[in-house]
Amino acid sequence: MALPLTVGVDGSDSAFEALDWAVDEAALHRHSLRIVYASRWERYETPTPGRGRSAGQVVGRDVVGVAARRAERRNPDLRVDTEVLAEDPVHALLHESRTSWALVTGSRGHGEIANLVLGSVGLSVAARAACPVIIVRGDEPGLHGTHDRVLLGVSDTPGGPEAVRFALREAATRDCELHAVRAWRCPAHETADHPSLPDGTCIYHQARADTLLDEALTGPLREHPPVRLHRALVEGPAHKILVERTAAADLVVVGAHRHERHPGLQLGHVAHTLLHHALCPVAVVPKVEGSIRS
């Protein structure tokens, strides 16, 4: 049986925006939808003075009930189940990630410190989850999939192959173009005297980036149906290049880093920047150990 797509809700506008996106994504990939509310999310929220209760005080069943009815209105044919968990939200969502095809969350909560919710929950989940995590954020065109383009940031990190496969599946299912981007830079300390730099240019670094891009794409491309692929080598810092290109994408996909000396996944600078500044939803894909998710 296919694993569900799980979405975390907390009653905020951002969470309902993420829910709408998750409904469409689950239907697109023919997965069921699981709606989860962690009842201790109120520790990350501050009630707004003069406006009554914060969303953290709303009964969990009411929140998931509203979410389930909203999902049903958006897609009556989608199978939906709900769960209220009396756990810390990060712990609850990390546990859910072990039995989910992907995990979806919003980019903000509500209250005066709404913009910090990503830092306290979303970033922790994206950095340590066992499945791909999609933070739903961006402008209207990016959220509504009007660009017909999936953007893939290609790196040489261990999580790279899974990120490429995920991006290929998204592009194939959406019947859209996949833009695979590899950034490269010529170190400032290197000069024309460097043996690897013919004619004093950065040809070596560009050629190496080209080779790494081919190596990253070749294996996964053989495993998936053909997609419209555009490959790009761009000189400059990867985080700036990808953020700029999210303005013309419906989803940006990057791999997560795994450091042997630290437990779980660690977000690199590129993923961290995208989660805060991308103009479309961001998928952070971990390396899958020993199995392939259905």
Short mmCIF file of all heavy atoms in Angstrom, two decimals, residues 210-269:
data_model
loop_
_atom_site.label_atom_id
_atom_site.label_comp_id
_atom_site.label_asym_id
_atom_site.label_seq_id
_atom_site.Cartn_x
_atom_site.Cartn_y
_atom_site.Cartn_z
N ASP A 210 30.15 20.72 -14.97
CA ASP A 210 29.42 20.05 -16.04
C ASP A 210 29.47 18.54 -15.85
O ASP A 210 28.46 17.84 -16.00
CB ASP A 210 30.04 20.44 -17.39
CG ASP A 210 29.18 19.99 -18.56
OD1 ASP A 210 27.95 19.88 -18.40
OD2 ASP A 210 29.74 19.75 -19.63
N THR A 211 30.65 18.03 -15.49
CA THR A 211 30.80 16.60 -15.25
C THR A 211 29.96 16.14 -14.06
O THR A 211 29.28 15.11 -14.11
CB THR A 211 32.28 16.25 -15.01
OG1 THR A 211 33.04 16.59 -16.17
CG2 THR A 211 32.45 14.77 -14.71
N LEU A 212 29.99 16.91 -12.98
CA LEU A 212 29.23 16.56 -11.78
C LEU A 212 27.73 16.59 -12.05
O LEU A 212 26.99 15.76 -11.52
CB LEU A 212 29.58 17.52 -10.64
CG LEU A 212 31.00 17.38 -10.06
CD1 LEU A 212 31.29 18.52 -9.09
CD2 LEU A 212 31.17 16.03 -9.36
N LEU A 213 27.29 17.53 -12.87
CA LEU A 213 25.88 17.59 -13.22
C LEU A 213 25.47 16.36 -14.01
O LEU A 213 24.42 15.74 -13.74
CB LEU A 213 25.59 18.86 -14.03
CG LEU A 213 24.15 19.09 -14.48
CD1 LEU A 213 23.20 19.11 -13.28
CD2 LEU A 213 24.05 20.40 -15.26
N ASP A 214 26.29 15.96 -14.98
CA ASP A 214 26.00 14.75 -15.76
C ASP A 214 25.96 13.52 -14.87
O ASP A 214 25.07 12.67 -15.00
CB ASP A 214 27.07 14.56 -16.85
CG ASP A 214 26.78 15.40 -18.08
OD1 ASP A 214 25.63 15.84 -18.24
OD2 ASP A 214 27.71 15.63 -18.86
N GLU A 215 26.92 13.40 -13.96
CA GLU A 215 26.98 12.24 -13.07
C GLU A 215 25.75 12.17 -12.17
O GLU A 215 25.24 11.09 -11.88
CB GLU A 215 28.25 12.30 -12.23
CG GLU A 215 29.53 12.07 -13.03
CD GLU A 215 30.77 12.22 -12.18
OE1 GLU A 215 30.64 12.70 -11.01
OE2 GLU A 215 31.87 11.88 -12.65
N ALA A 216 25.29 13.33 -11.71
CA ALA A 216 24.12 13.36 -10.82
C ALA A 216 22.85 12.96 -11.55
O ALA A 216 21.96 12.32 -10.98
CB ALA A 216 23.97 14.74 -10.21
N LEU A 217 22.74 13.31 -12.83
CA LEU A 217 21.51 13.09 -13.58
C LEU A 217 21.44 11.74 -14.28
O LEU A 217 20.36 11.18 -14.44
CB LEU A 217 21.34 14.19 -14.63
CG LEU A 217 21.13 15.61 -14.12
CD1 LEU A 217 21.14 16.59 -15.30
CD2 LEU A 217 19.83 15.73 -13.35
N THR A 218 22.59 11.21 -14.68
CA THR A 218 22.60 10.03 -15.56
C THR A 218 21.86 8.83 -14.97
O THR A 218 20.97 8.26 -15.60
CB THR A 218 24.04 9.63 -15.91
OG1 THR A 218 24.67 10.71 -16.60
CG2 THR A 218 24.06 8.39 -16.79
N GLY A 219 22.22 8.41 -13.75
CA GLY A 219 21.59 7.24 -13.14
C GLY A 219 20.09 7.40 -12.96
O GLY A 219 19.31 6.59 -13.44
N PRO A 220 19.65 8.46 -12.27
CA PRO A 220 18.21 8.66 -12.08
C PRO A 220 17.44 8.79 -13.39
O PRO A 220 16.30 8.33 -13.49
CB PRO A 220 18.15 9.96 -11.28
CG PRO A 220 19.43 9.99 -10.51
CD PRO A 220 20.44 9.40 -11.45
N LEU A 221 18.03 9.39 -14.42
CA LEU A 221 17.34 9.54 -15.70
C LEU A 221 17.05 8.19 -16.34
O LEU A 221 16.04 8.02 -17.03
CB LEU A 221 18.17 10.40 -16.66
CG LEU A 221 18.08 11.92 -16.46
CD1 LEU A 221 19.09 12.63 -17.33
CD2 LEU A 221 16.67 12.42 -16.76
N ARG A 222 17.92 7.22 -16.11
CA ARG A 222 17.71 5.88 -16.67
C ARG A 222 16.56 5.17 -15.97
O ARG A 222 15.97 4.24 -16.51
CB ARG A 222 18.98 5.04 -16.55
CG ARG A 222 20.08 5.43 -17.53
CD ARG A 222 21.11 4.32 -17.64
NE ARG A 222 21.79 4.09 -16.37
CZ ARG A 222 23.01 4.57 -16.09
NH1 ARG A 222 23.66 5.30 -16.98
NH2 ARG A 222 23.57 4.32 -14.92
N GLU A 223 16.24 5.57 -14.73
CA GLU A 223 15.24 4.88 -13.93
C GLU A 223 13.83 5.45 -14.11
O GLU A 223 12.87 4.85 -13.64
CB GLU A 223 15.62 4.98 -12.45
CG GLU A 223 17.00 4.41 -12.13
CD GLU A 223 17.43 4.79 -10.72
OE1 GLU A 223 16.62 5.37 -9.98
OE2 GLU A 223 18.60 4.53 -10.37
N HIS A 224 13.71 6.60 -14.76
CA HIS A 224 12.42 7.28 -14.82
C HIS A 224 12.00 7.54 -16.25
O HIS A 224 12.84 7.63 -17.15
CB HIS A 224 12.48 8.59 -14.04
CG HIS A 224 12.59 8.41 -12.57
ND1 HIS A 224 11.49 8.26 -11.75
CD2 HIS A 224 13.66 8.31 -11.76
CE1 HIS A 224 11.89 8.09 -10.50
NE2 HIS A 224 13.21 8.12 -10.48
N PRO A 225 10.70 7.68 -16.49
CA PRO A 225 10.23 8.04 -17.83
C PRO A 225 10.85 9.36 -18.27
O PRO A 225 11.22 10.20 -17.44
CB PRO A 225 8.72 8.19 -17.64
CG PRO A 225 8.41 7.41 -16.41
CD PRO A 225 9.61 7.54 -15.52
N PRO A 226 10.96 9.55 -19.58
CA PRO A 226 11.57 10.79 -20.09
C PRO A 226 10.82 12.04 -19.62
O PRO A 226 9.59 12.04 -19.52
CB PRO A 226 11.47 10.63 -21.61
CG PRO A 226 11.35 9.16 -21.84
CD PRO A 226 10.57 8.64 -20.67
N VAL A 227 11.55 13.07 -19.32
CA VAL A 227 10.97 14.36 -18.97
C VAL A 227 11.65 15.43 -19.82
O VAL A 227 12.73 15.22 -20.35
CB VAL A 227 11.14 14.70 -17.47
CG1 VAL A 227 10.45 13.68 -16.59
CG2 VAL A 227 12.62 14.82 -17.11
N ARG A 228 10.99 16.55 -19.94
CA ARG A 228 11.62 17.68 -20.61
C ARG A 228 12.66 18.26 -19.67
O ARG A 228 12.31 18.85 -18.65
CB ARG A 228 10.57 18.72 -20.97
CG ARG A 228 9.63 18.29 -22.10
CD ARG A 228 8.54 19.32 -22.31
NE ARG A 228 7.53 19.21 -21.25
CZ ARG A 228 6.79 20.23 -20.82
NH1 ARG A 228 6.98 21.45 -21.32
NH2 ARG A 228 5.88 20.05 -19.89
N LEU A 229 13.91 18.06 -20.01
CA LEU A 229 15.01 18.44 -19.11
C LEU A 229 15.80 19.61 -19.68
O LEU A 229 16.21 19.61 -20.83
CB LEU A 229 15.94 17.25 -18.90
CG LEU A 229 17.20 17.51 -18.08
CD1 LEU A 229 16.84 17.86 -16.64
CD2 LEU A 229 18.12 16.30 -18.12
N HIS A 230 15.99 20.60 -18.83
CA HIS A 230 16.87 21.72 -19.17
C HIS A 230 17.98 21.75 -18.12
O HIS A 230 17.71 21.87 -16.93
CB HIS A 230 16.10 23.04 -19.16
CG HIS A 230 16.98 24.24 -19.35
ND1 HIS A 230 17.42 24.64 -20.59
CD2 HIS A 230 17.49 25.13 -18.45
CE1 HIS A 230 18.18 25.71 -20.46
NE2 HIS A 230 18.23 26.04 -19.18
N ARG A 231 19.20 21.59 -18.54
CA ARG A 231 20.35 21.61 -17.62
C ARG A 231 21.05 22.94 -17.74
O ARG A 231 21.20 23.49 -18.83
CB ARG A 231 21.30 20.44 -17.90
CG ARG A 231 21.87 20.42 -19.29
CD ARG A 231 22.54 19.10 -19.63
NE ARG A 231 23.53 18.66 -18.70
CZ ARG A 231 24.77 19.14 -18.63
NH1 ARG A 231 25.13 20.12 -19.43
NH2 ARG A 231 25.63 18.65 -17.77
N ALA A 232 21.48 23.48 -16.59
CA ALA A 232 22.10 24.80 -16.59
C ALA A 232 23.30 24.83 -15.66
O ALA A 232 23.23 24.36 -14.52
CB ALA A 232 21.09 25.86 -16.17
N LEU A 233 24.40 25.35 -16.17
CA LEU A 233 25.59 25.63 -15.37
C LEU A 233 25.65 27.13 -15.18
O LEU A 233 25.67 27.89 -16.15
CB LEU A 233 26.85 25.15 -16.08
CG LEU A 233 26.96 23.66 -16.37
CD1 LEU A 233 28.18 23.38 -17.22
CD2 LEU A 233 27.04 22.87 -15.07
N VAL A 234 25.65 27.58 -13.93
CA VAL A 234 25.59 29.01 -13.65
C VAL A 234 26.70 29.38 -12.68
O VAL A 234 26.85 28.75 -11.62
CB VAL A 234 24.23 29.42 -13.05
CG1 VAL A 234 24.14 30.93 -12.93
CG2 VAL A 234 23.09 28.89 -13.90
N GLU A 235 27.48 30.37 -13.04
CA GLU A 235 28.55 30.81 -12.17
C GLU A 235 27.99 31.71 -11.06
O GLU A 235 27.24 32.66 -11.34
CB GLU A 235 29.61 31.58 -12.95
CG GLU A 235 30.80 32.01 -12.10
CD GLU A 235 31.87 32.74 -12.89
OE1 GLU A 235 31.63 33.04 -14.08
OE2 GLU A 235 32.93 33.02 -12.31
N GLY A 236 28.33 31.40 -9.83
CA GLY A 236 27.89 32.21 -8.72
C GLY A 236 27.50 31.37 -7.52
O GLY A 236 27.54 30.13 -7.57
N PRO A 237 27.11 32.00 -6.42
CA PRO A 237 26.70 31.27 -5.21
C PRO A 237 25.38 30.55 -5.41
O PRO A 237 24.40 31.16 -5.87
CB PRO A 237 26.60 32.36 -4.14
CG PRO A 237 26.38 33.62 -4.91
CD PRO A 237 27.11 33.46 -6.21
N ALA A 238 25.32 29.28 -5.07
CA ALA A 238 24.14 28.45 -5.34
C ALA A 238 22.88 29.00 -4.67
O ALA A 238 21.80 28.98 -5.27
CB ALA A 238 24.40 27.02 -4.89
N HIS A 239 23.00 29.46 -3.43
CA HIS A 239 21.79 29.89 -2.72
C HIS A 239 21.15 31.10 -3.39
O HIS A 239 19.92 31.18 -3.49
CB HIS A 239 22.10 30.18 -1.24
CG HIS A 239 23.03 31.33 -1.01
ND1 HIS A 239 24.37 31.29 -1.30
CD2 HIS A 239 22.79 32.58 -0.53
CE1 HIS A 239 24.93 32.44 -0.98
NE2 HIS A 239 23.99 33.25 -0.52
N LYS A 240 21.95 32.03 -3.91
CA LYS A 240 21.39 33.20 -4.57
C LYS A 240 20.79 32.83 -5.93
O LYS A 240 19.72 33.31 -6.31
CB LYS A 240 22.47 34.27 -4.75
CG LYS A 240 22.92 34.91 -3.45
CD LYS A 240 23.92 36.03 -3.71
CE LYS A 240 24.33 36.71 -2.41
NZ LYS A 240 25.31 37.81 -2.64
N ILE A 241 21.49 31.97 -6.66
CA ILE A 241 21.02 31.56 -7.98
C ILE A 241 19.68 30.86 -7.88
O ILE A 241 18.73 31.14 -8.63
CB ILE A 241 22.06 30.64 -8.64
CG1 ILE A 241 23.31 31.45 -9.02
CG2 ILE A 241 21.49 29.96 -9.88
CD1 ILE A 241 24.49 30.60 -9.40
N LEU A 242 19.56 29.93 -6.94
CA LEU A 242 18.32 29.16 -6.82
C LEU A 242 17.16 30.02 -6.33
O LEU A 242 16.03 29.87 -6.81
CB LEU A 242 18.53 27.96 -5.91
CG LEU A 242 19.43 26.86 -6.48
CD1 LEU A 242 19.67 25.77 -5.44
CD2 LEU A 242 18.80 26.25 -7.74
N VAL A 243 17.40 30.89 -5.37
CA VAL A 243 16.33 31.77 -4.89
C VAL A 243 15.80 32.62 -6.04
O VAL A 243 14.58 32.77 -6.21
CB VAL A 243 16.83 32.67 -3.73
CG1 VAL A 243 15.82 33.80 -3.47
CG2 VAL A 243 17.01 31.85 -2.47
N GLU A 244 16.68 33.17 -6.85
CA GLU A 244 16.25 33.99 -7.99
C GLU A 244 15.40 33.17 -8.96
O GLU A 244 14.39 33.65 -9.48
CB GLU A 244 17.47 34.56 -8.71
CG GLU A 244 18.22 35.63 -7.92
CD GLU A 244 19.51 36.05 -8.60
OE1 GLU A 244 19.84 35.46 -9.66
OE2 GLU A 244 20.17 36.96 -8.08
N ARG A 245 15.79 31.92 -9.20
CA ARG A 245 15.09 31.10 -10.18
C ARG A 245 13.78 30.52 -9.65
O ARG A 245 12.98 30.01 -10.43
CB ARG A 245 16.02 29.99 -10.68
CG ARG A 245 17.20 30.55 -11.45
CD ARG A 245 17.97 29.52 -12.22
NE ARG A 245 18.99 30.19 -13.04
CZ ARG A 245 19.41 29.76 -14.23
NH1 ARG A 245 18.91 28.64 -14.74
NH2 ARG A 245 20.32 30.43 -14.91
N THR A 246 13.55 30.59 -8.35
CA THR A 246 12.26 30.12 -7.83
C THR A 246 11.12 31.03 -8.27
O THR A 246 9.95 30.64 -8.19
CB THR A 246 12.26 30.04 -6.29
OG1 THR A 246 12.51 31.35 -5.73
CG2 THR A 246 13.30 29.05 -5.78
N ALA A 247 11.44 32.22 -8.76
CA ALA A 247 10.40 33.14 -9.24
C ALA A 247 9.70 32.58 -10.47
O ALA A 247 8.60 33.03 -10.81
CB ALA A 247 11.01 34.50 -9.57
N ALA A 248 10.32 31.59 -11.13
CA ALA A 248 9.71 30.99 -12.33
C ALA A 248 9.53 29.49 -12.14
O ALA A 248 9.57 28.73 -13.11
CB ALA A 248 10.58 31.27 -13.55
N ALA A 249 9.31 29.03 -10.90
CA ALA A 249 9.16 27.60 -10.63
C ALA A 249 7.95 27.34 -9.75
O ALA A 249 7.49 28.21 -9.00
CB ALA A 249 10.42 27.06 -9.95
N ASP A 250 7.42 26.12 -9.87
CA ASP A 250 6.29 25.69 -9.03
C ASP A 250 6.76 24.91 -7.81
O ASP A 250 6.00 24.74 -6.86
CB ASP A 250 5.34 24.81 -9.84
CG ASP A 250 4.80 25.54 -11.07
OD1 ASP A 250 4.51 26.75 -10.96
OD2 ASP A 250 4.69 24.92 -12.14
N LEU A 251 7.99 24.42 -7.86
CA LEU A 251 8.57 23.67 -6.76
C LEU A 251 10.08 23.67 -6.95
O LEU A 251 10.56 23.50 -8.07
CB LEU A 251 8.05 22.22 -6.76
CG LEU A 251 8.61 21.28 -5.69
CD1 LEU A 251 8.09 21.68 -4.31
CD2 LEU A 251 8.23 19.82 -6.00
N VAL A 252 10.81 23.86 -5.87
CA VAL A 252 12.27 23.74 -5.92
C VAL A 252 12.67 22.57 -5.03
O VAL A 252 12.15 22.40 -3.92
CB VAL A 252 12.98 25.04 -5.49
CG1 VAL A 252 12.60 25.47 -4.08
CG2 VAL A 252 14.50 24.87 -5.60
N VAL A 253 13.57 21.72 -5.53
CA VAL A 253 13.98 20.50 -4.83
C VAL A 253 15.47 20.54 -4.56
O VAL A 253 16.27 20.82 -5.46
CB VAL A 253 13.65 19.25 -5.68
CG1 VAL A 253 14.05 17.98 -4.93
CG2 VAL A 253 12.17 19.22 -6.05
N VAL A 254 15.84 20.27 -3.31
CA VAL A 254 17.24 20.18 -2.93
C VAL A 254 17.43 18.98 -2.02
O VAL A 254 16.50 18.51 -1.36
CB VAL A 254 17.74 21.46 -2.21
CG1 VAL A 254 17.79 22.63 -3.17
CG2 VAL A 254 16.87 21.78 -1.00
N GLY A 255 18.66 18.46 -1.98
CA GLY A 255 18.97 17.36 -1.09
C GLY A 255 19.39 17.86 0.28
O GLY A 255 19.80 19.02 0.44
N ALA A 256 19.25 17.00 1.28
CA ALA A 256 19.69 17.33 2.64
C ALA A 256 21.08 16.77 2.87
O ALA A 256 21.51 15.83 2.19
CB ALA A 256 18.70 16.77 3.67
N HIS A 257 21.78 17.33 3.82
CA HIS A 257 23.11 16.86 4.16
C HIS A 257 23.05 15.90 5.33
O HIS A 257 22.26 16.08 6.25
CB HIS A 257 24.01 18.05 4.55
CG HIS A 257 24.23 19.02 3.44
ND1 HIS A 257 25.38 19.05 2.70
CD2 HIS A 257 23.44 20.01 2.94
CE1 HIS A 257 25.30 20.01 1.80
NE2 HIS A 257 24.13 20.61 1.92
N ARG A 258 23.90 14.91 5.33
CA ARG A 258 24.04 14.01 6.47
C ARG A 258 25.50 14.03 6.92
O ARG A 258 26.40 13.77 6.13
CB ARG A 258 23.63 12.58 6.12
CG ARG A 258 23.66 11.65 7.34
CD ARG A 258 23.30 10.22 6.96
NE ARG A 258 21.93 10.10 6.51
CZ ARG A 258 20.88 9.98 7.33
NH1 ARG A 258 21.06 9.98 8.63
NH2 ARG A 258 19.67 9.86 6.85
N HIS A 259 25.70 14.39 8.18
CA HIS A 259 27.04 14.43 8.73
C HIS A 259 27.22 13.26 9.70
O HIS A 259 26.42 13.09 10.61
CB HIS A 259 27.30 15.75 9.46
CG HIS A 259 27.20 16.94 8.56
ND1 HIS A 259 28.09 17.17 7.55
CD2 HIS A 259 26.30 17.96 8.52
CE1 HIS A 259 27.76 18.29 6.92
NE2 HIS A 259 26.67 18.78 7.49
N GLU A 260 28.25 12.48 9.52
CA GLU A 260 28.45 11.28 10.33
C GLU A 260 28.61 11.61 11.82
O GLU A 260 28.25 10.82 12.67
CB GLU A 260 29.69 10.52 9.84
CG GLU A 260 29.52 9.95 8.43
CD GLU A 260 30.74 9.18 7.98
OE1 GLU A 260 31.71 9.14 8.77
OE2 GLU A 260 30.73 8.63 6.87
N ARG A 261 29.14 12.77 12.15
CA ARG A 261 29.39 13.10 13.54
C ARG A 261 28.18 13.72 14.24
O ARG A 261 28.20 14.00 15.42
CB ARG A 261 30.57 14.06 13.64
CG ARG A 261 31.89 13.43 13.17
CD ARG A 261 33.04 14.41 13.34
NE ARG A 261 34.31 13.83 12.91
CZ ARG A 261 35.47 14.46 12.96
NH1 ARG A 261 35.52 15.70 13.42
NH2 ARG A 261 36.57 13.88 12.55
N HIS A 262 27.14 13.96 13.47
CA HIS A 262 25.93 14.57 14.05
C HIS A 262 24.72 13.71 13.72
O HIS A 262 24.58 13.25 12.60
CB HIS A 262 25.73 15.98 13.50
CG HIS A 262 26.87 16.90 13.75
ND1 HIS A 262 27.09 17.49 14.96
CD2 HIS A 262 27.87 17.31 12.92
CE1 HIS A 262 28.18 18.25 14.89
NE2 HIS A 262 28.67 18.15 13.66
N PRO A 263 23.83 13.49 14.68
CA PRO A 263 22.63 12.68 14.42
C PRO A 263 21.67 13.40 13.50
O PRO A 263 21.53 14.63 13.55
CB PRO A 263 22.04 12.49 15.82
CG PRO A 263 22.50 13.68 16.59
CD PRO A 263 23.88 13.97 16.08
N GLY A 264 20.98 12.64 12.66
CA GLY A 264 19.95 13.21 11.80
C GLY A 264 20.53 13.98 10.64
O GLY A 264 21.72 13.96 10.36
N LEU A 265 19.65 14.68 9.96
CA LEU A 265 20.04 15.46 8.79
C LEU A 265 20.32 16.90 9.20
O LEU A 265 19.68 17.45 10.09
CB LEU A 265 18.94 15.43 7.75
CG LEU A 265 18.63 14.06 7.16
CD1 LEU A 265 17.34 14.13 6.35
CD2 LEU A 265 19.77 13.61 6.28
N GLN A 266 21.30 17.50 8.54
CA GLN A 266 21.64 18.88 8.81
C GLN A 266 21.37 19.70 7.56
O GLN A 266 21.79 19.32 6.47
CB GLN A 266 23.11 18.99 9.21
CG GLN A 266 23.54 18.03 10.30
CD GLN A 266 22.83 18.29 11.62
OE1 GLN A 266 22.65 19.44 11.99
NE2 GLN A 266 22.43 17.24 12.30
N LEU A 267 20.69 20.81 7.70
CA LEU A 267 20.42 21.64 6.54
C LEU A 267 21.65 22.44 6.16
O LEU A 267 22.29 23.05 7.01
CB LEU A 267 19.27 22.61 6.85
CG LEU A 267 17.88 22.00 6.95
CD1 LEU A 267 16.89 23.10 7.30
CD2 LEU A 267 17.49 21.32 5.66
N GLY A 268 21.97 22.43 4.88
CA GLY A 268 23.06 23.25 4.39
C GLY A 268 22.59 24.67 4.17
O GLY A 268 21.41 25.01 4.32
N HIS A 269 23.52 25.54 3.77
CA HIS A 269 23.22 26.95 3.58
C HIS A 269 22.18 27.16 2.48
O HIS A 269 21.31 28.02 2.58
CB HIS A 269 24.50 27.71 3.25
CG HIS A 269 24.33 29.19 3.12
ND1 HIS A 269 23.67 29.94 4.06
CD2 HIS A 269 24.71 30.05 2.14
CE1 HIS A 269 23.67 31.21 3.69
NE2 HIS A 269 24.28 31.30 2.52
#
